[in-house]
Amino acid sequence: MDIKRFETGPRMSQAVVHNGTVYLAGQVGEAGSDVAEQTKQALAEVDRLLALAGTDKTRILSAQIWLADMADFSKMNAVWDAWAPQGHTPARATGESKLATPDYLVEVIVVAAL
């Protein structure tokens, strides 16, 4: 089975396709923006990478969302709810974690079907 990688760098690929499944690296927004804006930017990157791999957000199987502070849960959810395609929402988990730098407030990781 072939493995196809997209936007591959020395540390990681932004997307990997294997056996009809697309795995995305964690996507973040612009460091220093508020959580709503970072969520919008991260989800725009999810859309872009899924399109690059040949699929879209209606095919997302699961999503993991990491917040630097769970106090931002409702702000992130407002953006997610406007973006997520009704009737095609994935299995999802959200947790709190320190991210790569304190300026990142949210990171989104998805797995999708082709």
Side-chain angles (χ1 to χ4, degrees), residues 43-59:
L43 294 175
E45 278 299 291
V46 167
D47 283 332
R48 184 184 73 77
L49 290 166
L50 290 176
L52 187 63
T55 192
D56 63 50
K57 65 186 173 185
T58 66
R59 308 278 294 162

Side-chain angles (χ1 to χ4, degrees), residues 63-100:
Q64 293 180 38
I65 301 173
W66 294 104
L67 292 167
D69 186 341
M70 285 303 287
D72 288 331
F73 187 66
S74 64
K75 294 174 190 170
M76 177 278 299
N77 266 336
V79 176
W80 173 272
D81 291 345
W83 174 83
Q86 292 305 300
H88 300 279
T89 51
R92 192 188 99 172
T94 304
E96 181 179 273
S97 179
K98 288 184 180 180
L99 301 178

Side-chain angles (χ1 to χ4, degrees), residues 1-86:
M1 305 229 173
D2 288 342
I3 298 173
K4 191 169 185 182
R5 300 174 197 283
F6 297 88
E7 299 184 9
T8 301
R11 180 169 293 142
M12 64 187 204
S13 296
Q14 290 299 310
V16 177
V17 177
H18 178 258
N19 200 25
T21 305
V22 182
Y23 304 87
L24 297 189
Q27 300 303 308
V28 295
E30 183 179 338
S33 298
D34 67 27
V35 72
E37 186 59 30
Q38 285 189 31
T39 303
K40 287 177 193 173
Q41 293 168 352
L43 294 175
E45 278 299 291
V46 167
D47 283 332
R48 184 184 73 77
L49 290 166
L50 290 176
L52 187 63
T55 192
D56 63 50
K57 65 186 173 185
T58 66
R59 308 278 294 162
I60 296 175
L61 302 170
S62 68
Q64 293 180 38
I65 301 173
W66 294 104
L67 292 167
D69 186 341
M70 285 303 287
D72 288 331
F73 187 66
S74 64
K75 294 174 190 170
M76 177 278 299
N77 266 336
V79 176
W80 173 272
D81 291 345
W83 174 83
Q86 292 305 300

